[in-house]
C-alpha cells in the first residue's frame, strides 16, 4: 500500500527549475532514499512535502489526501515530520524541552487549564517528560537532558533532531542528510537507529543521503534526482548499476574512460 | 576575608541568621534615620539577597511576601516620607508587571515590540473614561462616572481591552520580521498615543490633549482608596498574580511553543506549532498585564492624558527587560526595580545634591544638564554598555532543569508497567 504519492511535482524559483515533474510512490513502512548530486533538488522536494515551499505544479497525497495548500504546522498534524539538512534545533532550550516540543501536537493542554493547575494537565506534563526522557535514551542522549541543545556536539544534534521528530509520532519521517558530518562509528549507530525506528514505531522513512554505503544498506527503494529531474528509481541493486546514475555522479564519459 | 564570608554563608542556619540580621539592620536604619532613602533601598535589596539564598522555594516566596507586604510598609509608615516610599513601591509593582508582560513578547516569543506602552495607555483610558464624567459625553445610556467599586471589574476589563489591542497589533505585525517589526510596533505605539490625544472630535471620547480629570478613586467595601500606601497593595497583588501566570506559562506547552518560535520558526512549524496563534497569544497575554496596570495607574493618578504614554516610556520598559535579562523572570523584575529606583530616587537625589552644591559653592550647573533631564542619555548609555559587556542582562535566563534521577526512576517504573501489561495479556 502506498502511504505517500507524489504526482508531477514541480518547483520553479524564477527561471530556475529546482524540481520538475517528479513522480513517486512510497510504500507504507518502507525506507526510501532520495539521492542525487548537489543541487539536484532533493531538499526542495522535502520542502514542498512539508509545505515550506508551495509547489509550482503537481500534487502530494498522504493516504490519498492532498497536502498542497496546507500550512507547515498542518502538514505536521497530518503526520509528516522532518529533520533539516542545516540543523534547526531550538538552541536556547534544553535537550528535553526540544523533544517535548516535538510531542506538542499530541499534548492537549490549553493554557487556561495550565493556569488553573488542572490535575490532568499536570499529570500529562509529567508523563510527557518521562516519555521525552525515553526518547532521549533511545537516541542516546540521556546524559544531556538539561543541556542547552545549542551546546551539543554535531552528531548529538543530529540525533536530537531525529528524536524530536520521532516525538511527534509521525506516519512519515523525512530525514535530510542525517549522516552528514558523522564519523563512521556514528553513522553505523545511526543506521541501526533508523532500522530500529521503522520496525518499532511503524513509521515510513524517506531519507536524503550522500553516504552511499548507508543508502545501499538501508533502503528498500531509491529515487535518483539530477538537475531537478527524476533520472532513475529502483531497488538498491538496480540503482548501483544504472548507467544514468553513474553518469550523473561521475560526469558523462566516466564510464567510457573507466 | 572572603573565605570567612564563604564559611559563614555556607550553612543554611548561618544564612538565615545573616539574612534576618540584614533585614533587621536596614529596617532599623529606615526606622531611626529621618528621610533615609538609602536604608529603604537596602531593605528592598534584601529581596535580591533572598533570591540567591538556598532555601526551598516556598520558604523564599513566603519570606519575600512578608517582607514586601508587611515589614516594608510597616517600617516605612513611621517615616515622614512614607507616601513617597510607597509611591516608589507602587511604581515598581506597576512597571514590574509591565516588564513581565513585555518579557513574554520579547524574551519568550522573540518579537521586538517598541510600542508596548500603548497597552498601558489603553488600560488607563478604559478606566479613566468610565470612572469619570467623560463617558457621559458620548455614551447614549448609563450614569457616569461609574462608582469606585467597579474598579475591580475594570482591572479585568483593562486586561481584556489591552489583549484585544494586542491581537489588533499582532495581526499586521506577523507579516514582518526583525527591523520591520520594530518599526511597525513603534508606529503602533505612536498611533495609539496620537489617537488618544485627538479623539475629542468629532465625538469626544478621550477629551483630547486636555486629558481626563477627576477619575473616581477605587472603593473597597466602602473604603475609598486614595493614598499611595493603599495603591501599593493593589499593585503588589496584581504583580503576584502576574508572576504566578508567567511562572506557570513559562514551563507549559504554550511557553515552550513561544520559545520554540523564538529559536527557530521553521522548525517550530515543522513540529506542528501554529505560528500565528502562538505569536498572537504572546501579544495578547503580554498586553493584558499592561492593561491591568494601566487601570491602576489611572485610578492612582486620578488624571490621565496622552503625555504619560510617550515613546520614552516604551523604551523604559524595554530597557527594564534588556537590563534585567531577556527571558529571565527574576532578571526582568530586578531590571524594572532598578530602572524605577534610578529614575525616581537616585537621579532626583543626585540632581538635588548637585543643585545644593551649586548654591553652596557657587558652582553653577545648568539645569538642562541635571541627571534628571538626562534620562534618555543615561539609559541609552546603560543599554550600550549592556549590549557590549553583558548581553544576557543582570540575571541571565536559565532554563528550568528537570530532576534526571527522578525521570530515570519514573521511566523504569513505566517500562515495568508496560512489560507487566503485555505479559499479563499473553497469559490470559
Ligand atoms: N529558496 C530558493 N530560492 C532560489 N533557489 C533555490 C531556493 N532553494 C533552492 N534553490 C535552488 O534549487 C536547486 C536545488 O536545491 P536543493 O537545496 O533542493 O538541492 P539539494 O539536492 O538538496 O542539494 P544538496 O545535496 O547540496 O543539499 C539549487 O540550484 C538551489 O540553488
Ligand atoms: Mg539538500
Amino acid at each position: 500500500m502506498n502511504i505517500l504519492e507524489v504526482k508531477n511535482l514541480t518547483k520553479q524559483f524564477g527561471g530556475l527549475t529546482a524540481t520538475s515533474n517528479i513522480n513517486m510512490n512510497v510504500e507504507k513502512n518502507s525506507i526510501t532514499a532520495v539521492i542525487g548530486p548537489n543541487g539536484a533538488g532533493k531538499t526542495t522536494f522535502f520542502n514542498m512535502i512539508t509545505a515550506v515551499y508551495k509547489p509550482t505544479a503537481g500534487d502530494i497525497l498522504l493516504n490519498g489526501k492532498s497536502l498542497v495548500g496546507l500550512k507547515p504546522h498542518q502538514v505536521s498534524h497530518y503526520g509528516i515530520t522532518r529533520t533539516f539538512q542545516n540543523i534547526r534545533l531550538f538552541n536556547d532550550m534544553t535537550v528535553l524541552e526540544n523533544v517535548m516540543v516535538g510531542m506538542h501536537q499530541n499534548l492537549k493542554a490549553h493554557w487556561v487549564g495550565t493556569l488553573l493547575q488542572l490535575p490532568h494537565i499536570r499529570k500529562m506534563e509529567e508523563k510527557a517528560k518521562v516519555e521525552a526522557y525515553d526518547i532521549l535514551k533511545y537516541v542516546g542522549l540521556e546524559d544531556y537532558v538539561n543541556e542547552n541543545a545549542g551546546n551539543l556536539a554535531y552528531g548529538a544534534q543530529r540525533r536530537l533532531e531525529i528524536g524530536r521528530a520521532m516525538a511527534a509520532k509521525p506516519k512519515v519521517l523525512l530525514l535530510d542528510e542525517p549522516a552528514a558530518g558523522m564519523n563512521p562509528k556514528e553513522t553505523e549507530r545511526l543506521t541501526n537507529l533508523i532500522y530500529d525506528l521503522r520496525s518499532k514505531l511503524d513509521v515510513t522513512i524517506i531519507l536524503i543521503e550522500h553516504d552511499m554505503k548507508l543508502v545501499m544498506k538501508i533502503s528498500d527503494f531509491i529515487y535518483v534526482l539530477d538537475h531537478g529531474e527524476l533520472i532513475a528509481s529502483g531497488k538498491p541493486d538496480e540503482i548501483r548499476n544504472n548507467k544514468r546514475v553513474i553518469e550523473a555522479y561521475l560526469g558523462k564519459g566516466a564510464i567510457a574512460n573507466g | 576575608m572572603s573565605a570567612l564570608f564563604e564559611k559563614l554563608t555556607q550553612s543554611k542556619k548561618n544564612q538565615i541568621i545573616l539574612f534576618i540580621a540584614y533585614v533587621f539592620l536596614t529596617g532599623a536604619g529606615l526606622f531611626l534615620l529621618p528621610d533615609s532613602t538609602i536604608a529603604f533601598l537596602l531593605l528592598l535589596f534584601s529581596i535580591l539577597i533572598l533570591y540567591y539564598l538556598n532555601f526551598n522555594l516556598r520558604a523564599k516566596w513566603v519570606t519575600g511576601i512578608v517582607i514586601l507586604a508587611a515589614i516594608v510598609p510597616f517600617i516605612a509608615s513611621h517615616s515622614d516620607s512614607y507616601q513617597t516610599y510607597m509611591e516608589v513601591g507602587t511604581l515598581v509593582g506597576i512597571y514590574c508587571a509591565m516588564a513581565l508582560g513585555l518579557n513574554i513578547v520579547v524574551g519568550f516569543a522573540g518579537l521586538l515590540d517598541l510600542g508596548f506602552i500603548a497597552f498601558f495607555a489603553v488600560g488607563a483610558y478604559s478606566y479613566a473614561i468610565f470612572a469619570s464624567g467623560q463617558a457621559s459625553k458620548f455614551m447614549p445610556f448609563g450614569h457616569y462616572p461609574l462608582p469606585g467599586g467597579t474598579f475591580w471589574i475594570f482591572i479585568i476589563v483593562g486586561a481584556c481591552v489591552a489583549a484585544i489591542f494586542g491581537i489588533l497589533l499582532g495581526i499586521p505585525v506577523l507579516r514582518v520580521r526583525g527591523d520591520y517589526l520594530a518599526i511597525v510596533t513603534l508606529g503602533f505605539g505612536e498611533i495609539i498615543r496620537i489617537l488618544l490625544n485627538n479623539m475629542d472630535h468629532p465625538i469626544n471620547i478621550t477629551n483630547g490633549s486636555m486629558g481626563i480629570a477627576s477619575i473616581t478613586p477605587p472603593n473597597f467595601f466602602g473604603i475609598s482608596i486614595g493614598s499611595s500606601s493603599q495603591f501599593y497593595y493593589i499593585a503588589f497583588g496584581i504583580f503576584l498574580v502576574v508572576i504566578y501566570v508567567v511562572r506557570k506559562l513559562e514551563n507549559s506547552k504554550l511557553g515552550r511553543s513561544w520559545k520554540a518560535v523564538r529559536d527557530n520558526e521553521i522548525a517550530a512549524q515543522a513540529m506542528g506549532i501554529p505560528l500565528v496563534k502562538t505569536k498572537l497569544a504572546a501579544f495578547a497575554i503580554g498586553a493584558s498585564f499592561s492593561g491591568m496596570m494601566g487601570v491602576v495607574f489611572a485610578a492612582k493618578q486620578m488624571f490621565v492624558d496622552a503625555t504619560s504614554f510617550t515613546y520614552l516610556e516604551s523604551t523604559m520598559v524595554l530597557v527594564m527587560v534588556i537590563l534585567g535579562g531577556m527571558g529571565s523572570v527574576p532578571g526582568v523584575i530586578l531590571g524594572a526595580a532598578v530602572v524605577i529606583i534610578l529614575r525616581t530616587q537616585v537621579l532626583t537625589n543626585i540632581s538635588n545634591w548637585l543643585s545644593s552644591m551649586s548654591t553652596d559653592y557657587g558652582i553653577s550647573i545648568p539645569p538642562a544638564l541635571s541627571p534628571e533631564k538626562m534620562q534618555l542619555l543615561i539609559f541609552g548609555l546603560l543599554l550600550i554598555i549592556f549590549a557590549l559587556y553583558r548581553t544576557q542582562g543582570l540575571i541571565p535566563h536559565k532554563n528550568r532543569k528537570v530532576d534526571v534521577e527522578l525521570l530515570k526512576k519514573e521511566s523504569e517504573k513505566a517500562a515495568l508497567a508496560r512489560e507487566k501489561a503485555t505479559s499479563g495479556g499473553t497469559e490470559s
Side-chain angles (χ1 to χ4, degrees), chain A residues 42-43 85 176-177 208:
Chain A
K42 307 179 295 291
T43 299
Q85 180 173 359
D176 197 343
E177 303 200 14
I208 295 173

Side-chain angles (χ1 to χ4, degrees), chain B residues 180-203:
Chain B
Y180 298 104
L181 183 65
I183 291 166
V184 173
T185 53
L186 192 155
F188 176 82
E190 285 300 281
I191 287 169
I192 296 289
R193 185 179 65 79
I194 292 165
L195 269 180
L196 291 173
N197 209 19
N198 289 287
M199 284 212 303
D200 51 351
H201 56 85
I203 311 167

